[in-house]
Amino acid sequence: PTPIPLPVRRRPQVLVIDDDPLVQRAVTRQLSTGYDVTAVGTVAEGLALIEAQPARFSAVLCDVVMPDGGGRTYLPEIRRRWPALEARTFFITGGTTSVVGDAFYEANFERVLQKPLETRGLLAALAACIGSEPESAPAPSRDQNEAK
């Protein structure tokens, strides 16, 4: 008899857009047990990946402040071209002092995650956005490295 292959559960894919390679590596490490992570250094690279395969990414993490505009450049493009992806986008920032009175932050505050990214909070945000936690994601340990 011919063996019947078991269905393969596709791991959720997360796109990280951040110009800091250290943040890219840290977030990739934090998510690697339950997610497939693709990290790029510019908004243009991120948008090109989304354009090539619009349904590929379950969620996107985009730095707010980057040389090419960061979240402020990314968000209008997503709204115009792939509006369903907006609800699955989180913005990451290390700038805590400049958020008061900033229209971008005020309009998106519920989707802004502060650096350093705490693993448990990051996993919870993604699980809530995607709809469920990935099967293979273990409970994060207190000692895991966090994104800075």
Side-chain angles (χ1 to χ4, degrees):
T2 305
I4 300 172
L6 294 173
V8 177
R9 182 168 186 250
R10 189 176 86 97
R11 287 165 39 114
Q13 295 197 25
V14 176
L15 174 61
V16 176
I17 304 171
D18 196 302
D19 59 324
D20 185 339
L22 294 175
V23 171
Q24 290 178 12
R25 285 193 299 274
V27 173
T28 298
R29 189 172 45 251
Q30 287 174 295
L31 299 178
S32 65
T33 58
Y35 297 90
D36 289 334
V37 179
T38 301
V40 296
T42 68
V43 171
E45 289 173 295
L47 293 173
L49 287 173
I50 295 167
E51 185 169 35
Q53 295 179 305
R56 175 179 172 186
F57 297 104
S58 301
V60 177
L61 299 170
C62 183
D63 192 6
V64 174
V65 179
M66 294 173 51
D68 66 348
R72 297 169 202 272
T73 299
Y74 167 88
L75 187 57
E77 284 297 308
I78 290 301
R79 283 182 174 156
R80 185 174 66 79
R81 298 164 72 183
W82 308 284
L85 192 54
E86 180 179 358
R88 298 189 322 268
T89 295
F90 291 91
F91 299 100
I92 54 178
T93 185
T96 56
T97 58
S98 62
V99 300
V100 176
D102 184 293
F104 181 85
Y105 288 99
E106 289 179 4
N108 299 288
F109 74 92
E110 65 280 340
R111 293 184 292 137
V112 175
L113 304 173
Q114 295 291 326
K115 297 178 193 174
L117 297 172
E118 192 271 325
T119 303
R120 186 160 301 171
L122 179 57
L123 290 172
L126 288 173
C129 152
I130 294 170
S132 65
E133 292 193 37
E135 284 179 10
S136 58
S141 71
R142 208 176 200 15
D143 298 331
Q144 279 184 312
N145 292 329
E146 297 183 358
K148 296 200 182 230

